[in-house]
Amino acid sequence: QVQLVESGGGLVEAGGSLRLSCAASGRTFSNYAMGWFRQAPGKEREFVVAISWSGGSTNYADSVKGRFTISRDNAKNTVYLQMNSLKPEDTAVYYCAAYSGYSIFTAVSYWGQGTQVTVSA
């Protein structure tokens, strides 16, 4: 059973930064792509960013390009999301996702419980 535990959410002013972490357990972390999604109140869950098993390939949603950076440390079984220049519209519950294969183009197999990010104007 794969477990994903997010941390690092919180309240920040617009223009500020936060770093989310997702610690994974239950399977060989380095064999799988990872990603982040988010869901704002009253909206569908949306893709934010994904990273391949090695970190060599990433894919960002247009809304976060240039502001957010995903990275992973396979030795620590952890994926990170550095969020800079935060905007009120980034307010959402952020979910860590584990994909079913090496590539970021495989399906999501597991979800974390989510961590709240709130950006005040």
Side-chain angles (χ1 to χ4, degrees):
Q1 183 71 15
V2 173
Q3 290 190 324
L4 304 174
V5 180
E6 301 103 331
S7 61
L11 173 64
V12 64
E13 292 184 349
S17 298
L18 281 175
R19 188 194 196 203
L20 305 184
S21 299
C22 172
S25 62
R27 67 178 184 182
T28 305
F29 178 78
S30 59
N31 285 354
Y32 299 92
M34 298 291 295
W36 291 92
F37 289 69
R38 67 187 181 185
Q39 187 167 18
K43 294 189 176 181
E44 301 267 329
R45 187 173 299 189
E46 65 174 5
F47 170 79
V48 176
V49 60
I51 187 168
S52 64
W53 68 281
S54 66
S57 179
T58 57
N59 185 33
Y60 290 86
D62 288 344
S63 58
V64 306
K65 279 181 182 176
R67 299 187 299 121
F68 290 12
T69 303
I70 191 170
S71 61
R72 64 188 296 161
D73 186 337
N74 287 343
K76 295 183 178 180
N77 291 353
T78 302
V79 62
Y80 304 97
L81 182 62
Q82 179 66 43
M83 305 186 294
N84 298 329
S85 302
L86 282 161
K87 305 175 182 179
E89 51 263 44
D90 294 318
T91 295
V93 177
Y94 282 70
Y95 295 92
C96 179
Y99 286 75
S100 61
Y102 291 100
S103 168
I104 60 177
F105 300 108
T106 56
V108 173
S109 296
Y110 299 97
W111 297 95
Q113 82 286 352
T115 185
Q116 177 69 47
V117 171
T118 303
V119 184
S120 62

